[in-house]
């Protein structure tokens, strides 16, 4: 992801920031190590913000804490770097290829649970991308060649006063305490009489930022003097009990003691909720908290109040999503780990994970049922936010042998894999689940179909054709009204991607459209209709293509649906271009582009931009068309298979380039194309969506500047 903004103030660390800058100037791999809660992630993020302008392609953050399945490391990089993976090549290879010409700072955050895999990853990336720098945070070094380590120490604390009336010296630890105390207790000020107590608290907590923040949160219920006194007594008692046996790791002991003290200050029900919520990965919303946290002594109606109590104690963080979307919550890793251990000791771990699984299964089944409707974008945003939890739920099912549930969940997520840029991940889970559970029936059939549509998105027509045969056999006795249409889509789409338009037309002509509603495949008739329009275009039947696309647009508008509507607008644009109406074609292509961008459908975005370039090439804006081709190429680079490998689309792009070169000349074409290729994808989308300016460019128009 691009660097997120910091949500709380950043205190101190000036010397560490200078050291990171110096290390990155000399080394290509720098690892920040230190105990949990010491502030490694915050420091790395602040360093990246300060240094990003020194890199031509800026700085990017990849958060690895939510990842548990190391085989998905490449998939997570694609997701966090806002790329799309539609090919059959290894994802880490594709990431390295994308980074090959980038001058970029890549931050890999929280690698300690994937040390060996991250070491292998950085070797691959650094070996391919000569101008890449990588900043890692981990509780231990990666052990990779060329790695330069830097241990992150706690914040400086004031030394004990040498005389009773001496004012405490300034320290970053006390500054942090004062700022977080003001959050817990509005109006709190660290006046001189209080400074000595605050300094004593920070010394006792060894300057560990997380421990200080947890202590400061207690000021909502305790006075500063009470806080200082209780912390001192607790740590004295701990030292007496521990003797010398725990002296080897004093900072680990300090943090764990601070979290344990926060745990003791919670009510019994808050502790239980904390433990149950530890099964979430990547955060949760209130609905998820109720589904997993309620039960036994916790009524569903009390979860929100208990959750507010954990937020007030800084054990759970509330994240606003802005606008009308409800807030999400998360825990720092060290806090979540403490809750997970407590959950295990309560012998509730399996039950909580089952509740987590069931909640997310219900979620994806509802999303599947409502996908072809007015809440499509909302569902995409919600599932994107739950992506790490979906992985966790699927991995739990697969590791525990719950194959049928894994099939049901992965199959219901067909649209997430197919339409939203996660095809490789979808095939990974679907293949695993299909191997684990061979129980015939509708659930398995849906998973086979989902695997087939993911193969189509990757241009893997051979696999799609094989899966179509498996699917037809699976639904041979089905009464599902959409099963035949679903099978026709797999077969017809595979044929059209191979360039066999006559065969594709025959497939679609042979199937009757299922009645509206019902069944497990409500999208099949829409997919068949838009692919039929596409086939008409490539057979030169532009009026027929427009007629089919117009009917599909009307159907989608009636439902309030966006994804298929955008595809219909795309084929509308193709038909208008074929009928010699470039302005109309450009308007439809921009409409398709807006719809595809909403759902991270990178293939659709790339195809729409290519079409915009083609329609613009037929106007008096040749250099704009060249820039659009460059923007499109940048997008296809993230996909890995330009134009999905389809012969007609590859030929159309080549014809566009030749027409533009003939209009503006090779030098102007190259300059404008390069300008488009160098634009950030988000800026490129803004440029593509803007209508072309009125009037011709003129015979000597210079290459356009970057917008």
């Amino acid at each position: 992801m691009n660097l997120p903004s910091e949500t709380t103030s950043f205190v101190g660390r000036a010397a560490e920031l200078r050291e990171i800058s110096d290390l990155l100037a000399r080394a290509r791999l720098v690892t920040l190590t230190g105990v949990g809660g010491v502030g490694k992630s915050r420091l790395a993020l602040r360093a990246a913000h300060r240094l990003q302008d020194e890199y031509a392609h800026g700085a990017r953050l990849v958060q690895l804490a939510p990842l548990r399945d190391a085989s998905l490391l490449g998939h997570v990089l694609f997701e966090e770097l806002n790329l799309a993976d539609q090919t059959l090549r290894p994802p880490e290879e594709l990431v390295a290829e994308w980074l090959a010409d980038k001058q970029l700072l890549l931050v890999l955050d929280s690698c300690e649970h994937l040390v060996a895999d991250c070491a292998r990853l950085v070797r691959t990336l650094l070996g391919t991308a000569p101008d890449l720098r990588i900043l890692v945070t981990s509780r231990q070094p990666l052990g990779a060649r060329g790695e330069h380590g830097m241990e992150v120490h706690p914040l400086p604390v004031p030394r004990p006063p040498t005389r009773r009336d001496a004012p405490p010296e300034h320290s970053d630890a006390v500054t942090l305490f004062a700022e977080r105390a003001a959050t817990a207790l509005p109006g709190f000020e660290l006046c001189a009489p209080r400074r000595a107590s605050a300094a004593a608290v920070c010394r006792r907590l060894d300057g560990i930022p997380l421990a200080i923040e947890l202590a400061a949160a207690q000021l909502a219920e305790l006075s500063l003097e009470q806080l200082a006194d209780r912390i001192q007594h607790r740590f004295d008692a701990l030292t007496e009990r521990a003797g010398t046996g725990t002296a080897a790791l004093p900072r680990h002991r300090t943090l764990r003691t601070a979290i344990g003290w926060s745990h003791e200050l919670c009510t019994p029900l808050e502790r239980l909720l904390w433990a149950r919520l530890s099964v979430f990965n990547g955060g949760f919303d209130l609905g998820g908290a109720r589904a997993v946290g309620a039960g036994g002594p916790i009524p569903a109606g009390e979860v929100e109040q208990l959750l507010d109590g954990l937020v007030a104690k800084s054990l759970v963080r509330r994240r606003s999503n802005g606008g009308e979307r409800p807030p999400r919550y998360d825990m720092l890793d060290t806090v979540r780990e403490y809750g997970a251990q407590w959950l295990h000791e309560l012998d509730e771990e399996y039950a909580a994970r089952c509740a987590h699984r069931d909640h997310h299964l219900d979620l994806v089944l509802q999303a599947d049922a409502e996908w072809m409707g007015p809440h499509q974008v909302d569902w995409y945003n919600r599932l994107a936010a739950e992506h790490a939890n979906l992985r966790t739920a699927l991995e739990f099912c697969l590791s525990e042998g719950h194959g049928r549930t894994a099939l049901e969940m992965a199959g219901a997520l067909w649209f997430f894999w197919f339409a939203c840029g996660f095809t490789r991940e979808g095939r990974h889970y679907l293949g695993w689940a299909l191997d684990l559970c061979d129980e015939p029936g509708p659930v398995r059939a849906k998973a086979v179909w989902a695997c087939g549509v993911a193969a189509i998105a990757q241009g893997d027509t051979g696999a799609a054709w094989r899966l179509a045969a498996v699917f037809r056999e699976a639904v041979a006795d089905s009464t599902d009204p959409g099963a035949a249409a679903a099978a026709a889509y797999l077969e017809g789409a595979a044929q059209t991607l191979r360039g066999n338009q006559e065969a594709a037309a025959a497939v679609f002509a042979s199937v009757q459209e299922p009645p509206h509603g019902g069944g497990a495949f409500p999208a099949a008739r829409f997919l068949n209709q838009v692919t039929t329009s596409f086939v008409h275009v490539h057979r030169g039947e532009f009026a027929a293509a427009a007629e089919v696309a117009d009917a599909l647009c009307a159907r989608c508008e009636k439902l309030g649906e966006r994804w298929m509507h955008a595809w219909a607008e795309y084929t509308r644009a193709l038909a208008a271009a074929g009928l010699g109406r470039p302005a109309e074609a450009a308007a439809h292509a921009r409409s398709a582009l807006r719809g595809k961008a909403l759902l991270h459908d990178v293939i659709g975005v790339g195809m729409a931009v290519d079409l915009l370039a083609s329609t613009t090439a037929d106007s008096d804006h040749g250099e704009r068309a060249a820039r659009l081709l460059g923007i499109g190429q940048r997008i296809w680079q993230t996909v890995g298979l330009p134009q999905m490998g389809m012969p007609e689309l590859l030929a159309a792009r080549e014809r566009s380039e030749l027409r533009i070169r003939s209009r503006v000349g090779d030098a102007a074409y190259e300059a404008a194309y390069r300008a488009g290729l160098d634009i950030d994808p988000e800026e490129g989308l803004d440029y593509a969506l803007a209508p072309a300016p009125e009037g011709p460019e003129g015979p000597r128009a210079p290459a356009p500047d970057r917008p």
Side-chain angles (χ1 to χ4, degrees), residues 625-681:
R627 180 180 282 201
L628 287 169
L629 272 189
I631 292 169
Q633 185 63 22
R634 173 75 178 269
I635 293 166
W636 285 113
Q637 285 175 353
T638 71
V639 171
L641 186 64
Q643 289 76 42
M644 298 179 70
M646 185 175 176
E648 289 89 346
L649 295 179
L650 290 165
R653 191 214 175 274
E654 185 176 349
R655 288 194 299 271
S656 293
E657 178 179 338
L658 292 174
R659 288 203 312 276
I660 299 166
R661 284 184 183 274
S662 69
R663 284 179 178 272
V664 302
D666 288 343
Y669 172 85
E670 293 293 348
Y673 177 81
R674 175 57 58 180
L677 198 61
D678 290 342
I679 292 176
D680 176 84

Side-chain angles (χ1 to χ4, degrees), residues 44-257:
L45 180 60
R46 172 53 65 100
H49 273 292
R50 288 172 55 126
L51 296 172
Q52 61 183 333
D53 291 341
E54 298 182 14
Y55 297 84
H57 297 94
R60 306 291 283 273
L61 172 68
V62 176
Q63 295 174 322
L64 295 176
L67 181 64
R68 292 295 174 265
D69 182 354
S71 66
L72 290 177
L73 188 56
H75 303 276
V76 172
L77 258 70
F78 260 87
E79 177 188 344
E80 296 288 338
L81 293 174
N82 295 321
L83 307 179
D85 176 17
Q86 309 296 143
T87 75
L88 302 178
R89 294 166 59 196
E92 292 174 16
E93 177 184 316
L94 292 167
V95 172
E97 185 176 287
W98 181 78
L99 290 169
D101 62 348
K102 304 294 187 298
Q103 186 190 13
L104 182 140
L105 173 62
L106 179 63
V107 181
L108 300 179
D109 184 36
S110 300
C111 297
E112 54 272 353
H113 58 305
L114 301 166
V115 167
D117 297 281
C118 287
R120 176 178 49 79
L121 172 69
V122 299
R123 284 197 300 270
T124 299
L125 300 184
L126 293 174
T128 306
D131 293 323
L132 177 67
R133 294 288 189 275
I134 299 179
L135 180 61
V136 169
T137 73
S138 176
R139 295 180 194 176
Q140 66 182 90
L142 299 186
R145 180 180 298 177
E147 180 180 30
H148 282 57
M150 173 184 150
E151 184 177 358
V152 179
H153 297 285
L155 292 172
V157 298
R159 292 170 295 185
T162 55
R163 66 178 194 274
R164 196 162 188 171
D165 59 344
E169 63 186 25
H170 170 79
S171 80
D172 291 335
V174 173
T175 299
L176 176 65
F177 179 86
E179 291 191 5
R180 300 303 184 261
T183 300
L185 188 65
F188 176 89
E189 293 183 6
L190 198 60
C191 54
R194 289 174 165 174
R195 189 169 289 275
S197 295
V201 168
C202 293
R203 279 195 299 272
R204 183 63 275 185
L205 297 175
D206 292 331
I208 298 174
L210 177 56
I212 291 171
E213 293 186 2
L214 291 174
Q218 303 304 328
L219 292 178
E221 299 178 6
L222 301 174
S223 71
L224 178 54
E225 291 71 22
Q226 288 174 318
L227 177 68
D229 183 62
R230 293 189 185 189
I231 284 180
Q232 186 62 47
H233 282 303
R234 177 169 178 83
F235 277 77
D236 287 346
L238 172 76
T239 302
E240 291 172 6
R241 289 197 305 269
T244 59
T246 58
L249 297 171
R251 290 172 185 166
H252 289 275
R253 188 177 70 242
T254 297
L255 179 62
R256 183 164 183 79
T257 301

